[in-house]
Amino acid sequence: MDVVGVEGETAAGGAGARAVAAGEWEREPHPSDSLRTFGAVVQGLREHAGLSRADLAARVQYSKHTVESVELGRRMPDEAFVERAEEALGNTGALRKAARHLTRGEAGLAAWFRRWARLEREAVNLCTYECRLVPGLLQSEAYARSVIEGTIPLRTDEQMEAQLAARMERQATMRERPTVPFSFIVEEHVFRRRFGDPQAMRELVDHVLECSAPRNVTLQVVPLDARLHACLDGPVRLLETPEGQRLGYSEGQQNGRLISDRKEVSLLCQRYDTLRSQALPPGDSRALLERLRGEL
């Protein structure tokens, strides 16, 4: 994963541009036309109804910031947003119909990460080990925003919003695929690293506990007092495609690498499986996070 936003969700060029064709890098990130069109429809209906963004936010039970991001085409609205906005804006059917034509853009995703992000959406299982930051699929919005705001080089507001939207959108993969196994192994110190006030830290832990509560999601924590283990070479990400192919992904400073060589992927799988036996069991891991939350 990358220091400039984590998990390839970066919105500006840099050294990583050498890893992909220049043209592909220069095209990112731009909200998809369908998102912008849908956002314009929401804004038009809202203004016709005489509502402010804050008014609509209260009616759809989302933040004003979320309403703004949807209207500007920076964020993919989920089903609940569409339904509540439809009811709040006159039940014309326009939003339901427009939502059918929405496509998931790749705004905010680094060029080197795009292929993995597509594979991630279709994977039949996904495994992630992280020793630096909370994995993107488990990040709270406040945590993700804090990470993005602290990246170097600095981003424009539009670029930061694109990154944040991409990260939050990726989390829909877990909600929409309840039969796909997701496994996470995360170092305890990752959850202890401060990024905001105690309330923001508690919200992060609550979010992680909520995301890892479904039966298809397994979260294990490597405690601070654990000994040296099998994945000291760095973060590991693995998945299996619907065709049964196993792939890996590694990321560093401004670059990422999709790993398809069977021997190399097999070695990464062995390391991950070994680490599973070295980390705390899921129940003990959740108990550790709950204790950590109580300390905040």
Side-chain angles (χ1 to χ4, degrees):
M1 289 166 246
D2 58 309
V3 175
V4 292
V6 178
E7 302 194 346
E9 293 150 330
T10 178
R18 291 191 293 271
V20 295
E24 183 179 6
W25 181 271
E26 292 165 0
R27 285 196 301 271
E28 67 159 330
H30 298 293
S32 72
D33 290 340
S34 66
L35 284 176
R36 283 188 292 220
T37 300
F38 181 85
V41 173
V42 173
Q43 182 175 356
L45 290 174
R46 174 180 63 77
E47 292 176 348
H48 181 73
L51 301 176
S52 67
R53 283 175 174 163
D55 294 333
L56 180 58
R59 298 193 183 193
V60 298
Q61 301 172 46
Y62 283 80
S63 69
K64 177 184 175 183
H65 173 76
T66 297
V67 172
E68 179 182 19
S69 295
V70 170
E71 289 190 351
L72 295 177
R74 297 172 180 166
R75 185 166 191 154
M76 172 76 80
D78 59 22
E79 184 177 346
F81 182 97
V82 174
E83 287 301 315
R84 293 171 190 171
E86 181 69 71
E87 294 174 4
L89 299 175
N91 268 321
T92 64
L95 294 183
R96 292 191 185 96
K97 291 178 180 178
R100 296 173 193 162
H101 301 286
L102 285 172
T103 58
R104 295 175 184 269
E106 293 181 318
L109 293 181
W112 65 78
F113 188 72
R114 289 173 177 172
R115 186 178 177 192
W116 181 264
R118 296 187 201 107
L119 290 166
E120 190 178 68
R121 292 196 291 266
E122 302 298 326
V124 296
N125 65 64
L126 187 73
C127 300
T128 301
Y129 162 65
E130 182 53 73
C131 56
R132 297 170 302 177
L133 294 173
V134 174
L137 291 175
L138 299 178
Q139 292 179 6
S140 67
E141 184 167 339
Y143 182 94
R145 182 178 293 278
S146 181
V147 170
I148 293 167
E149 288 178 345
T151 61
I152 302 295
L154 298 177
R155 312 295 191 230
T156 66
D157 289 344
E158 183 176 343
Q159 288 171 330
M160 288 194 296
E161 292 304 323
Q163 287 181 263
L164 182 64
R167 193 159 306 173
M168 294 299 99
E169 175 59 22
R170 281 182 58 228
Q171 294 186 4
T173 299
M174 293 175 60
R175 298 191 298 270
E176 295 168 355
R177 309 187 70 201
T179 61
V180 173
F182 291 84
S183 170
F184 298 92
I185 304 177
V186 185
E187 299 280 353
E188 179 183 347
H189 70 258
V190 166
F191 297 111
R192 291 187 175 275
R193 185 182 296 276
R194 296 301 178 100
F195 74 94
D197 60 26
Q199 179 59 32
M201 293 291 294
R202 285 191 289 270
E203 289 175 358
L204 169 64
V205 176
D206 287 342
H207 184 76
V208 171
L209 289 170
E210 180 182 357
C211 289
S212 60
R215 288 179 298 168
N216 64 313
V217 182
T218 302
L219 172 65
Q220 293 180 258
V221 176
V222 182
L224 291 175
D225 59 2
R227 298 184 178 183
L228 300 181
H229 57 69
C231 288
L232 293 177
D233 283 351
V236 174
R237 200 172 308 170
L238 300 158
L239 62 73
E240 182 179 352
T241 70
E243 296 74 32
Q245 182 182 15
R246 293 191 298 182
L247 298 169
Y249 178 78
S250 67
E251 194 171 87
Q253 298 269 352
Q254 291 288 83
N255 61 74
R257 183 169 70 99
L258 182 65
I259 304 168
S260 58
D261 180 79
R262 285 187 294 177
K263 290 184 178 180
E264 189 172 357
V265 174
S266 177
L267 176 60
L268 293 177
C269 288
Q270 291 176 48
R271 290 177 178 176
Y272 191 89
D273 289 341
T274 301
L275 184 58
R276 271 178 166 158
S277 67
Q278 297 171 322
L280 292 176
D284 293 345
S285 296
R286 293 183 67 83
L288 187 153
L289 288 181
E290 289 167 353
R291 290 197 302 272
L292 187 155
R293 187 190 188 286
E295 296 172 5
L296 295 170

